[in-house]
Amino acid sequence: MTETRPRYESDESGVMRMLREFLDHHKFADVYELPPVLHFEQEYSLTRGRCDFVVFHSDGSVTVVEAKGSRELRNAAGGIGQLLSYTIQIGMARPGAVVRGLLVAPVAPGTEEARLLDEACRRAGMAFEPCPLMADLSKTAAAIIAKAAELG
Protein backbone atom coordinates (compact mmCIF):
# COMPACT_ATOMS: atom_id res chain seq x y z
CA MET A 1 0.00 0.00 0.00
CA THR A 2 1.32 3.42 -0.94
CA GLU A 3 1.72 6.01 1.78
CA THR A 4 -0.51 9.02 1.08
CA ARG A 5 0.40 11.40 3.84
CA PRO A 6 1.85 14.72 2.73
CA ARG A 7 5.63 15.11 2.79
CA TYR A 8 7.19 18.29 4.06
CA GLU A 9 10.83 18.92 3.31
CA SER A 10 12.94 20.69 5.92
CA ASP A 11 12.94 23.93 3.96
CA GLU A 12 10.68 26.90 3.38
CA SER A 13 8.65 25.16 0.68
CA GLY A 14 7.89 22.33 3.13
CA VAL A 15 6.66 24.78 5.78
CA MET A 16 4.58 26.62 3.17
CA ARG A 17 3.09 23.36 1.90
CA MET A 18 2.09 22.43 5.44
CA LEU A 19 0.43 25.83 5.95
CA ARG A 20 -1.32 25.53 2.58
CA GLU A 21 -2.69 22.10 3.61
CA PHE A 22 -4.10 23.61 6.81
CA LEU A 23 -5.70 26.44 4.83
CA ASP A 24 -7.04 24.20 2.05
CA HIS A 25 -8.59 21.81 4.58
CA HIS A 26 -10.09 24.62 6.67
CA LYS A 27 -7.95 23.77 9.71
CA PHE A 28 -5.78 26.90 9.91
CA ALA A 29 -8.16 28.77 12.24
CA ASP A 30 -8.51 25.72 14.50
CA VAL A 31 -4.80 24.93 14.61
CA TYR A 32 -3.83 28.52 15.45
CA GLU A 33 -6.98 29.36 17.49
CA LEU A 34 -8.07 32.22 15.22
CA PRO A 35 -11.44 33.40 13.87
CA PRO A 36 -12.82 31.43 10.88
CA VAL A 37 -11.05 32.02 7.57
CA LEU A 38 -12.99 33.74 4.77
CA HIS A 39 -10.20 33.40 2.21
CA PHE A 40 -6.43 33.56 1.90
CA GLU A 41 -3.83 34.57 -0.65
CA GLN A 42 -0.40 33.04 -1.09
CA GLU A 43 2.56 35.18 -2.24
CA TYR A 44 0.57 38.36 -1.58
CA SER A 45 2.33 41.33 -3.20
CA LEU A 46 2.86 44.54 -1.27
CA THR A 47 4.69 47.76 -2.15
CA ARG A 48 7.66 46.55 -0.11
CA GLY A 49 7.80 42.79 -0.29
CA ARG A 50 5.69 39.72 -0.75
CA CYS A 51 3.93 37.92 2.12
CA ASP A 52 3.99 34.13 2.14
CA PHE A 53 0.30 34.09 3.17
CA VAL A 54 -2.31 36.69 4.02
CA VAL A 55 -5.37 35.21 5.70
CA PHE A 56 -8.64 37.15 5.90
CA HIS A 57 -10.94 36.24 8.80
CA SER A 58 -14.70 36.42 9.31
CA ASP A 59 -14.36 39.12 11.99
CA GLY A 60 -12.52 41.46 9.57
CA SER A 61 -9.09 40.73 11.02
CA VAL A 62 -6.08 39.69 8.95
CA THR A 63 -3.23 37.30 9.72
CA VAL A 64 0.06 37.77 7.88
CA VAL A 65 2.13 34.58 7.86
CA GLU A 66 5.85 34.42 7.18
CA ALA A 67 7.29 30.92 6.74
CA LYS A 68 10.96 30.25 7.29
CA GLY A 69 12.59 26.97 6.36
CA SER A 70 16.00 27.30 7.92
CA ARG A 71 16.73 26.04 11.39
CA GLU A 72 19.28 28.83 11.73
CA LEU A 73 18.15 31.30 14.35
CA ARG A 74 19.45 34.24 12.32
CA ASN A 75 17.32 33.35 9.29
CA ALA A 76 14.16 32.75 11.33
CA ALA A 77 14.74 35.95 13.32
CA GLY A 78 14.97 37.89 10.03
CA GLY A 79 11.36 36.91 9.45
CA ILE A 80 10.33 39.14 12.37
CA GLY A 81 11.49 42.26 10.50
CA GLN A 82 9.72 41.09 7.37
CA LEU A 83 6.51 40.52 9.33
CA LEU A 84 6.71 43.97 10.91
CA SER A 85 6.98 45.55 7.48
CA TYR A 86 4.13 43.47 6.06
CA THR A 87 1.73 43.98 8.99
CA ILE A 88 2.33 47.75 8.95
CA GLN A 89 1.66 47.95 5.21
CA ILE A 90 -1.54 45.90 5.47
CA GLY A 91 -2.64 47.83 8.56
CA MET A 92 -2.22 51.12 6.71
CA ALA A 93 -4.30 49.77 3.81
CA ARG A 94 -7.02 48.51 6.19
CA PRO A 95 -7.50 51.17 8.90
CA GLY A 96 -9.21 49.80 11.98
CA ALA A 97 -8.61 46.14 11.12
CA VAL A 98 -6.75 43.92 13.56
CA VAL A 99 -3.63 42.74 11.74
CA ARG A 100 -1.60 40.02 13.39
CA GLY A 101 1.73 38.52 12.39
CA LEU A 102 2.60 34.84 12.64
CA LEU A 103 6.11 33.49 12.11
CA VAL A 104 6.32 29.74 11.41
CA ALA A 105 9.71 28.01 11.33
CA PRO A 106 11.06 24.45 11.70
CA VAL A 107 12.46 25.02 15.16
CA ALA A 108 11.79 22.25 17.65
CA PRO A 109 9.38 23.31 20.42
CA GLY A 110 10.94 23.67 23.85
CA THR A 111 14.43 24.51 22.59
CA GLU A 112 16.39 27.64 23.39
CA GLU A 113 15.92 28.79 19.79
CA ALA A 114 12.14 28.44 20.11
CA ARG A 115 12.16 30.36 23.40
CA LEU A 116 14.22 33.21 21.92
CA LEU A 117 12.04 33.47 18.79
CA ASP A 118 8.86 33.36 20.85
CA GLU A 119 10.13 36.14 23.12
CA ALA A 120 11.26 38.29 20.17
CA CYS A 121 7.93 37.83 18.39
CA ARG A 122 5.93 38.67 21.54
CA ARG A 123 7.97 41.84 22.06
CA ALA A 124 7.22 42.80 18.45
CA GLY A 125 3.50 42.13 18.95
CA MET A 126 3.48 38.95 16.88
CA ALA A 127 3.22 35.21 17.44
CA PHE A 128 5.74 32.46 16.80
CA GLU A 129 4.82 28.89 15.95
CA PRO A 130 7.68 26.39 16.15
CA CYS A 131 7.39 23.35 13.91
CA PRO A 132 8.65 19.96 15.06
CA LEU A 133 10.93 17.95 12.85
CA MET A 134 9.39 17.75 9.38
CA ALA A 135 8.98 13.94 9.55
CA ASP A 136 6.83 14.35 12.67
CA LEU A 137 5.03 17.27 11.04
CA SER A 138 4.00 15.08 8.11
CA LYS A 139 2.37 12.62 10.52
CA THR A 140 0.62 15.42 12.42
CA ALA A 141 -0.66 17.13 9.27
CA ALA A 142 -1.87 13.81 7.84
CA ALA A 143 -3.79 13.11 11.06
CA ILE A 144 -5.41 16.57 11.01
CA ILE A 145 -6.35 16.23 7.33
CA ALA A 146 -7.75 12.71 7.86
CA LYS A 147 -9.82 13.91 10.84
CA ALA A 148 -11.14 16.85 8.79
CA ALA A 149 -12.20 14.42 6.03
CA GLU A 150 -13.90 12.21 8.63
CA LEU A 151 -15.88 15.13 10.04
CA GLY A 152 -16.91 16.28 6.56
Side-chain angles (χ1 to χ4, degrees):
M1 179 181 258
T2 309
E3 189 174 338
T4 58
R5 75 175 186 227
R7 299 306 240 161
Y8 304 112
E9 294 82 25
S10 294
D11 60 12
E12 189 167 324
S13 68
V15 176
M16 288 185 63
R17 237 184 17 255
M18 181 261 320
L19 289 165
R20 179 71 191 236
E21 291 283 336
F22 287 164
L23 286 159
D24 284 344
H25 289 86
H26 309 288
K27 291 285 129 199
F28 182 84
D30 297 338
V31 169
Y32 295 109
E33 299 177 357
L34 296 168
V37 174
L38 287 177
H39 70 281
F40 68 91
E41 294 189 33
Q42 188 171 350
E43 297 296 330
Y44 188 85
S45 289
L46 296 166
T47 304
R48 292 181 181 88
R50 185 181 309 244
C51 308
D52 290 331
F53 291 96
V54 176
V55 182
F56 300 90
H57 300 278
S58 61
D59 66 352
S61 66
V62 180
T63 302
V64 179
V65 182
E66 180 62 25
K68 289 297 178 191
S70 174
R71 289 193 174 103
E72 286 186 32
L73 184 60
R74 178 183 50 187
N75 185 23
I80 297 169
Q82 286 177 271
L83 268 176
L84 277 172
S85 173
Y86 301 159
T87 56
I88 289 168
Q89 289 177 73
I90 291 173
M92 290 175 67
R94 295 175 164 268
V98 172
V99 180
R100 65 184 69 77
L102 175 64
L103 177 67
V104 181
V107 175
T111 61
E112 181 65 10
E113 290 85 359
R115 188 192 69 70
L116 289 170
L117 286 168
D118 184 60
E119 177 68 21
C121 282
R122 277 190 294 117
R123 287 179 184 234
M126 293 178 277
F128 170 66
E129 183 66 31
C131 292
L133 297 174
M134 289 305 198
D136 295 336
L137 187 57
S138 293
K139 293 175 194 172
T140 302
I144 289 170
I145 291 164
K147 189 65 171 175
E150 250 178 59
L151 299 174

